[in-house]
Amino acid sequence: SGDSIRVAPGEDDETVFVKRTEKIKNNDIIVGVVDGEPMLKRYKKFENRIELHSANSSGHPIIVTEENDFRVAGIFISQFNEF
């Protein structure tokens, strides 16, 4: 979506390459699925919560709670911009 990670400036026709894995670490850019909605976000795990951050620093992070259906679909590898 519009507030998700913008890995590098570019157009809407970017292709993102993702490695399918559930093994992630703090600050990885992930494809996360929250309540059925996929998103490309920076993953931040704290002692008692998970936050998903967009590239837009003025945006608010998504706070993942036990009430959310959350899973990791993969981690960002690279992108390809078609011009």
Side-chain angles (χ1 to χ4, degrees):
S1 71
D3 289 336
S4 288
I5 290 291
R6 176 72 67 184
V7 178
E11 303 297 322
D12 289 337
D13 55 356
E14 296 174 355
T15 300
V16 176
F17 297 93
V18 174
K19 178 181 178 183
R20 187 178 300 216
T21 184
E22 293 180 4
K23 296 180 180 181
I24 58 172
K25 57 189 182 304
N26 220 13
N27 287 317
D28 279 348
I29 298 173
I30 67 161
V31 175
V33 182
V34 180
D35 298 329
E37 185 172 336
M39 54 191 70
L40 190 63
K41 301 282 187 182
R42 186 167 303 278
Y43 173 87
K44 295 192 178 196
K45 183 169 179 150
F46 297 91
E47 188 173 313
N48 59 351
R49 71 184 186 280
I50 293 172
E51 293 183 1
L52 302 176
H53 291 257
S54 66
N56 179 355
S57 60
S58 66
H60 297 289
I62 294 171
I63 309 298
V64 179
T65 68
E66 292 179 3
E67 296 173 7
N68 295 109
D69 178 22
F70 173 69
R71 69 180 177 86
V72 175
I75 59 171
F76 170 83
I77 300 296
S78 66
Q79 74 181 32
F80 176 74
N81 297 324
E82 297 179 33
F83 295 102

